[in-house]
Amino acid sequence: DAGVTQSPTHLIKTRGQHVTLRCSPISGHKSVSWYQQVLGQGPQFIFQYYEKEERGRGNFPDRFSARQFPNYSSELNVNALLLGDSALYLCASSLGTSGYNEQFFGPGTRLTVL
Amino acid sequence: RKEVEQDPGPFNVPEGATVAFNCTYSNSASQSFFWYRQDCRKEPKLLMSVYSSGNEDGRFTAQLNRASQYISLLIRDSKLSDSATYLCVVNEVGANDYKLSFGAGTTVTVRA
């Protein structure tokens, strides 16, 4: 079975630009979460979506937004990129919203902002 | 104060050794706890969930101390393949929802 897939794998942008990252969850998983991982740190929670609705939001500015589509895939959008947005962006899917569910992570999108 | 704090290590141990490390969490209402493993430049993968009574999975043993708000992981008979960063993860919301907080990770290097 296919795991969580993310695209693109790498991306280079300049300050002020906009970026869209994509994620396809494991088949049957309805919950998708997004995380930002800066080098040397653990992943930081950005958003959780379940059944196309936002269920949780981390401490990130409004430049970050996301949505989930009817097929449960998801997009993360970041506007007005800053140098500090350079990070590995991870998407994770799980069966539902229970905090006991295992999170399955995709390989991530490595974003570099110049 | 960070929600989840871990000793960053690195723990450099010989094959066959036992290594143990802790993580502490700040939210006493946290509901579920996990250890994830992350290899260099790879995505995190679930190593084990942590239950109140403590649990064991092969060479790995996890303990939860709610009173002191810490979680531990012990690796027995270390293998070279155990070299990785171990992330302590705490679910800060209820059982029917989640906001996962990750520690910065503890790096373990097992040498031959």
Side-chain angles (χ1 to χ4, degrees):
Chain A
D1 286 341
V4 177
T5 59
Q6 292 186 244
S7 63
T9 54
H10 294 83
L11 202 51
I12 298 175
K13 293 284 190 179
T14 57
R15 281 178 296 177
Q17 285 189 310
H18 161 270
V19 68
T20 297
L21 311 180
R22 296 178 175 83
C23 170
S24 291
I26 291 172
S27 177
H29 285 192
K30 298 181 178 181
S31 178
V32 170
S33 296
W34 287 95
Y35 297 84
Q36 180 196 64
Q37 187 172 24
V38 173
L39 194 63
Q41 297 295 318
Q44 297 296 308
F45 172 75
I46 309 176
F47 288 109
Q48 184 211 351
Y49 276 78
Y50 177 74
E51 291 281 15
K52 302 187 292 296
E53 291 190 1
E54 182 183 302
R55 293 292 297 266
R57 174 185 285 253
N59 189 23
F60 279 80
D62 292 343
R63 300 184 296 107
F64 289 76
S65 63
R67 54 180 176 168
Q68 186 177 33
F69 299 99
N71 66 354
Y72 304 110
S73 67
S74 178
E75 281 183 357
L76 175 70
N77 294 283
V78 186
N79 292 324
L81 285 167
L82 302 174
L83 296 179
D85 295 332
S86 295
L88 178 68
Y89 287 85
L90 294 162
C91 170
S93 76
S94 62
L95 280 171
T97 59
S98 169
Y100 296 97
N101 288 151
E102 178 179 354
Q103 299 284 301
F104 293 84
F105 285 84
T109 293
R110 194 164 297 278
L111 172 65
T112 302
V113 182
L114 302 176
Chain B
R1 182 183 176 186
K2 290 185 179 178
E3 289 139 342
V4 180
E5 300 215 39
Q6 293 184 245
D7 183 343
F11 288 81
N12 191 331
V13 300
E15 271 189 293
T18 295
V19 60
F21 40 89
N22 295 337
C23 111
T24 59
Y25 61 94
S26 60
N27 186 345
S28 60
S30 297
Q31 294 291 323
S32 47
F33 309 88
F34 310 89
W35 285 102
Y36 277 71
R37 170 195 169 127
Q38 187 171 28
D39 294 306
C40 188
R41 301 184 74 81
K42 297 283 192 180
E43 72 272 22
K45 293 185 179 179
L46 179 67
L47 178 67
M48 57 197 304
S49 301
V50 185
Y51 303 119
S52 295
S53 55
N55 48 301
E56 190 174 303
D57 183 1
R59 298 180 294 105
F60 298 85
T61 300
Q63 295 280 350
L64 169 63
N65 185 319
R66 284 189 184 271
S68 300
Q69 295 181 213
Y70 78 81
I71 307 149
S72 65
L73 181 66
L74 182 146
I75 308 173
R76 285 186 303 278
D77 188 23
S78 299
K79 311 292 185 190
L80 294 176
S81 57
D82 295 333
S83 296
T85 296
Y86 292 85
L87 299 167
C88 176
V89 186
V90 174
N91 174 33
E92 295 193 70
V93 194
N96 295 316
D97 212 333
Y98 63 83
K99 175 187 176 258
L100 297 183
S101 290
F102 285 73
T106 296
T107 300
V108 173
T109 302
V110 182
R111 63 182 188 275

